[in-house]
Amino acid sequence: MGHGVPELVLELNGRTWTLDPSRPYTLGRDPQGDLVFEDARVSWRHATVSFDGRSWVVEDHGSTNGTFVRGGRIQRLEIGPGTALHLGNATDGPRVNVSAAQAPVAQPQQQPYAAQGANQAWGPPQAANPPQPGWQQPQAAAPQIPQQGQGPGVGAGAPPVYGDRSPTTFHQFSLGRVMRIGRALENDLVVSDLQVSRNHAEFHSTPDGRMEIRDLGSHNGTYVNGQPIAKGGTQLLGPTDIVGVGHSTFRIVGDRLEEFVDTGEVSFSARHLTVTVDGGKQILKDVSFGVPEKSLIAVIGPSGSGKSTLLKALTGYRPANQGDVLYDNRNLYKQFAELRQRIGLVPQDDILHKELTVNKALKYAAKLRFPADTTAAERDARIDEVLRELKLDIHRGKKVTSLSGGQRKRVSVALELLTKPSLIFLDEPTSGLDPGMDRDVMQLLRGLADDGRTVLVVTHSVAELAICDKLLVMAPGGAVAYFGPPEEALNFFGYDTWADVFSAFENYRDYDWAGRWKGSQHYQMYAADIDAIAPQSVQMPPMQAMRPPKPQGWMSQFVTLVRRYTSVIASDKGFLALSVILPVVLGSVSLLIDSGNDLLPNPVNPKTGRIIPNGTATTVLLILAVGACFAGAANSVRELIKERVIYERERATGLSRSAYLMSKVFVLGLVTLFQGLLVGVIGFSSREIPAEGLVLKSAPLIELCLPIMALGFTSMMFGLIISSLVKTAEKTMPLLVMFAIIQVVFTGCLFALNGSIGVNQFSYLMPSRWAVAAAGTTLDFNRISPPADGGDNDPLWEHTVGAWGMDMFALIVLGVICGFFVARFLRRHEPEVMRK
């Protein structure tokens, strides 16, 4: 014992331990611990006793059943002679007696707020209704989140697995044996989880006695310490390595395999999260809090307090510049590829297609999120289970758009529950709902937490905060103003209503709300342990390792997306009608033009010896080209923006960006090509056209329609660019009109483009230039509309097969370039942690 350090002796069942202040002592069921308990109520790694440099303390590690002193549950407490610790139960749990020659006993403090110190500020200047001096501080602190590296039975430096929980199952190994994991019943380890493939992975023992894990081509991937191994690849395992398969985690200890199943008993904590934007402005400032398992947490605060930024930081959509987000002691940012499967996110906007029925929307979601080897019966059974849990089974045949706001939010929650997440985030789920629906949604979330999930909800509504376990109040500027039980929050601020609190935030924006919080007794009770850990910069692994495996192959995703999108379009009768009426009207408008010589060159003027220009042909082609441009762009200009929230969420769950984009291109392309054909047939068939085509000798009508169809397709790709760039759907219409007008100018029908330096070169970027040129080669535009001043003919209008082919090729290349840019712009709407 060092000089001045009080001696401490622990006594358990007649045995005594004299404690050395230089090291901590572990209490729990772990056989490798210092004080080992056989009682099932004691957690695997229950608590530690250590000397902190000033006194001896006992620290509970988020144990399931708690540590008690004098009947009160404690988290961290100074102890001394005469203290009696009860583990697992306040009355009859295993008892550890503390004795020593010196060091006074420190009992749990109970101070009225009035005694917390003369310098304690109860609110901003002139704050009304301070707490009454007789109000007593609660005795029990919130469950503390275990610190990183304090997993069960893990050696020094080993990654934690599940806090202090003991393994769910043990499996014995024998030398040379292969142990296969999967969903199918013939596996050695059967994991009844639809996130797991039928034959997922194998454990092998090597000749030198080491172990390795081999992926069997699984759909959702096999992970070692949170990082995916190559599909079909192998990796040697060390004594501290953790293997993740679906919701199960495995660790090799000696000759046995320990399995931990994530059943929702997970802790979650944020430590020193700081988000800085361009210019150095902090929009989230040093946010720390810990969430106990199976709890409901509400996050409130005024506009500009960083609630949305916090949600993005907590889910990995936009990782914090500094700090850590820990999912049961596992770094979410570094292990996002695996942990994304355990987290559900319900954005403010619905994450489903409202045109579909509830049942069909969930079926397509299940098809995309579950491995390709799941059967339709397995997916249907899970859908039925979720619908029954959320009391939606009676609405399964209704279209989502016909449901009430509260019921639609339930369907969004149901979609997330398909994969059985342990942690669910919701962003403003009660926005726009009446008070009755507000209560229904919050009670739904309360039920989800009671059923074994941790639920964190960002909300503006303060009517139902009482049903939450903890409340996080954000102050203007992105700092924490309060974290603790909701029933104590108003007393903490010293106001009668939340309206008063929010007014105080607005009126005293320069007040140090975070400093007031950190100087309070509540902070010591509910956040000091989490906050005490020094902040760290997020060290991201190589970004290629952050690309999570896709649950479905590319073609499977593409087919599912095409089927879903086709179902959405087929259920929208208005869109179908407009898709036919619009090209019919646009094509018919061209019939109003006088026929003249229709679309053939006029004869030569006998007086001048020059061809008489045929204005009818250029006017008709101008109208048809503009109609195809407008119809094609109108088809797609809203498609990506209206599905942005759906895409963001599905991308985070493994959706292929290219499969999503190609499904849009395929379905919209077919619709647009049909419309282009309709416009061309109506515009050309009733007029006199050349008897023979350049390329399609016997089908000049089809040859004239092909450029119109290709123009509609390329314009549709330009529409997708607009849709991927805008922030709101309302901004698409002005851009659509501007696009159509620009195409009119650069068709070459209004004025000669050839020979106009700069203007002609710029026109090469316009699809209408190439489409009109391709049709013009067939009609021989250089004869129909020769240069008025006797200048050079337009080479794009030459009446040759080569010119027609070049014009069509350029039109297609423009469409491909547009597709490339759309794919790049889509990256901006993905979780930042997934971007290359």
Side-chain angles (χ1 to χ4, degrees), residues 139-153:
Q139 296 182 28
Q144 178 190 339
I145 308 305
Q147 296 183 5
Q148 194 165 10
Q150 293 176 335

Side-chain angles (χ1 to χ4, degrees), residues 70-89:
R70 293 193 175 182
R73 184 165 181 169
I74 59 96
Q75 301 305 313
R76 191 175 190 275
L77 181 70
E78 294 182 3
I79 59 175
T83 303
L85 306 175
H86 285 274
L87 277 59
N89 188 280

Side-chain angles (χ1 to χ4, degrees), residues 353 355-356 360 364 399 557-573 575-576 579 639 642-643 660 662-671:
H353 293 86
E355 301 86 355
L356 301 179
K360 189 170 286 189
Y364 284 124
K399 283 190 175 183
Q557 286 194 1
F558 172 75
V559 171
T560 301
L561 290 167
V562 166
R563 289 178 57 196
R564 183 177 71 178
Y565 192 32
T566 303
S567 297
V568 170
I569 290 178
S571 65
D572 189 346
K573 302 299 189 292
F575 178 83
L576 290 176
S579 297
E639 284 307 308
K642 76 179 184 181
E643 289 188 2
Y660 174 79
M662 288 307 298
S663 71
K664 294 292 184 186
V665 172
F666 180 79
V667 177
L668 289 175
L670 289 179
V671 173

Side-chain angles (χ1 to χ4, degrees), residues 266-306:
V266 297
S267 58
F268 186 79
S269 62
R271 293 176 177 173
H272 300 282
L273 297 184
T274 299
V275 174
T276 305
V277 294
D278 295 337
K281 180 183 178 182
Q282 288 187 343
I283 55 178
L284 207 64
K285 298 180 181 178
D286 197 26
V287 174
S288 298
F289 64 95
V291 178
E293 62 190 43
K294 299 182 179 180
S295 58
L296 174 58
I297 315 299
V299 180
I300 65 172
S303 298
S305 59

Side-chain angles (χ1 to χ4, degrees), residues 238-465:
T240 63
D241 288 334
I242 295 172
V243 177
V245 173
H247 285 76
S248 295
T249 308
F250 300 88
R251 185 182 62 221
I252 297 173
V253 179
D255 62 348
R256 71 179 183 180
L257 184 69
E258 296 182 346
E259 179 183 1
F260 299 78
V261 179
D262 187 343
T263 58
E265 296 178 341
V266 297
S267 58
F268 186 79
S269 62
R271 293 176 177 173
H272 300 282
L273 297 184
T274 299
V275 174
T276 305
V277 294
D278 295 337
K281 180 183 178 182
Q282 288 187 343
I283 55 178
L284 207 64
K285 298 180 181 178
D286 197 26
V287 174
S288 298
F289 64 95
V291 178
E293 62 190 43
K294 299 182 179 180
S295 58
L296 174 58
I297 315 299
V299 180
I300 65 172
S303 298
S305 59
K307 300 189 300 297
S308 296
T309 303
L310 175 62
L311 193 64
K312 291 178 181 178
L314 294 177
T315 55
Y317 272 59
R318 200 290 187 195
N321 302 98
Q322 260 197 336
D324 299 300
V325 176
L326 302 181
Y327 177 98
D328 223 22
N329 294 322
R330 304 177 67 184
N331 192 300
L332 176 65
Y333 299 158
K334 296 180 180 179
Q335 304 186 22
F336 180 80
E338 177 186 357
L339 296 180
R340 68 186 172 90
Q341 303 176 34
R342 321 274 185 90
I343 295 176
L345 173 62
V346 181
Q348 183 174 347
D349 297 321
D350 293 324
I351 50 176
L352 33 83
H353 293 86
K354 299 177 183 178
E355 301 86 355
L356 301 179
T357 64
V358 171
N359 194 58
K360 189 170 286 189
L362 294 181
K363 279 191 173 184
Y364 284 124
K367 178 72 173 173
L368 287 172
R369 296 194 181 193
F370 289 134
D373 61 2
T374 53
T375 64
E378 288 176 312
R379 294 194 297 269
D380 289 345
R382 179 58 188 154
I383 291 172
D384 293 342
E385 185 181 344
V386 170
L387 289 176
R388 284 195 302 270
E389 180 180 0
L390 298 182
K391 299 179 176 59
L392 285 169
D393 42 346
I394 61 174
H395 302 296
R396 66 187 310 152
K398 297 179 182 177
K399 283 190 175 183
V400 176
T401 188
S402 69
L403 301 178
S404 67
Q407 290 168 342
R408 283 204 303 272
K409 193 57 64 177
R410 281 177 179 264
V411 178
S412 293
V413 173
L415 191 152
E416 290 300 306
L417 291 186
L418 289 174
T419 54
K420 296 186 177 180
S422 301
L423 182 64
I424 303 177
F425 293 94
L426 300 99
D427 187 12
E428 301 285 357
T430 61
S431 178
L433 302 184
D434 61 49
M437 290 184 179
D438 181 356
R439 178 186 300 166
D440 290 343
V441 171
M442 292 301 290
Q443 287 178 344
L444 164 68
L445 304 184
R446 176 72 266 171
L448 294 178
D450 293 339
D451 287 341
R453 306 173 184 93
T454 299
V455 183
L456 188 145
V457 54
V458 174
T459 180
H460 274 113
S461 174
V462 296
E464 303 297 328
L465 295 180

